Amino acid sequence: MSPSPSPASPTNVDFWFDPVCPWTWLTSRWMLEVREARPVTVSWHVMSLSVLNENRLDELPDHIRELMGQAWAPVRVLVAVGQLHGPEWLEPLYTALGTRYHLRQEPRNRATLEAALRDVGLPVELADAGDTDRWDAELRASHSRGITLVGQDVGSPIIAVPGPDAGSDPVAFFGPVVNPAPKGEEAAKLWDGVLTAASTPGFYEIKRTRTSGPDFS
């Protein structure tokens, strides 16, 4: 895989996200910057931190358990929107939700869900999906597709890119976690490095401790 594919051959990127995660929001905004600077197409998919952590809630701090309870409704609504109106609505609705959750620090409740739906011109009645398990099979299937590619010891986001050889499986990874989100050519340079790492057989992990909270500036 070339780290800088030709304009005629854009890199297809699959991006799994949970909208309540502030670190995922930063990575997603970086991905939008990359799309402006490099030939990529992004397909958005829903994953769920609530699903990921449902069997280990007793191990989590109280504030994380509370967040996991609040995280069900947004992903259920996103999946319902994708099923009923098409996957092309996931990006604008995610942007509307993330803007309200992370930039405006609005509560993760039904009123915010309805406001985000109005922001993008979707029926506010879709917020009903957040109060039911009707779409949970589709939610779990979308979540499982991302986790199956990357493995279990991860969170949100998950990004998958084409494998190094034609016909090979996609290469998926957790992150990158960036704070704040790089912009312009800095975003593109990081993307080039990510593609280089993804094309390296046997490459698994780079990590260091986060030393500050999310910077949405």
Side-chain angles (χ1 to χ4, degrees):
M1 176 187 300
S2 168
S4 299
S6 69
S9 303
T11 300
N12 297 314
V13 183
D14 290 289
F15 192 111
W16 279 265
F17 66 94
D18 186 315
V20 304
C21 175
W23 304 104
T24 300
W25 172 254
L26 290 167
T27 305
S28 72
R29 299 310 95 179
W30 162 74
M31 194 72 249
L32 296 184
E33 289 285 322
V34 172
R35 191 170 64 186
E36 294 298 314
R38 294 290 187 267
V40 300
T41 59
V42 185
S43 298
W44 302 88
H45 310 278
V46 183
M47 67 177 295
S48 170
L49 293 174
S50 297
V51 171
L52 189 70
N53 290 296
E54 63 184 343
N55 294 322
R56 54 185 296 265
L57 289 177
D58 291 344
E59 305 169 17
L60 302 176
D62 290 345
H63 71 285
I64 299 297
R65 281 202 301 272
E66 181 182 4
L67 177 61
M68 293 303 94
Q70 298 168 349
W72 280 106
V75 291
R76 285 168 166 166
V77 171
L78 280 156
V79 169
V81 166
Q83 293 291 313
L84 296 173
H85 294 270
E88 66 274 13
W89 285 94
L90 294 181
E91 180 182 332
L93 182 54
Y94 176 32
T95 292
L97 282 169
T99 298
R100 290 180 174 276
Y101 288 157
H102 307 303
L103 303 188
R104 301 180 189 175
Q105 293 294 297
E106 295 182 12
R108 299 176 183 89
N109 59 18
R110 180 175 177 121
T112 302
L113 279 169
E114 290 182 352
L117 289 164
R118 281 193 295 268
D119 289 341
V120 298
L122 286 167
V124 295
E125 293 79 10
L126 286 163
D128 292 344
D131 300 323
T132 176
D133 61 2
R134 176 184 174 187
W135 301 102
D136 281 13
E138 289 81 2
L139 168 61
R140 290 177 183 276
S142 177
H143 175 88
S144 179
R145 284 192 291 272
I147 291 295
T148 298
L149 285 173
V150 75
Q152 295 295 321
D153 301 323
V154 300
S156 175
I158 295 168
I159 295 179
V161 298
D165 302 308
S168 61
D169 292 335
V171 176
F173 50 87
F174 162 64
V177 177
V178 287
N179 189 40
K183 295 179 173 59
E185 187 58 25
E186 290 302 311
K189 285 165 60 178
L190 175 58
W191 176 248
D192 294 342
V194 165
L195 286 186
T196 298
S199 67
T200 303
F203 177 85
Y204 289 104
E205 185 175 8
I206 290 179
K207 189 173 183 178
R208 61 177 178 168
T209 300
R210 293 193 293 264
T211 56
S212 62
D215 181 353
F216 303 122
S217 60

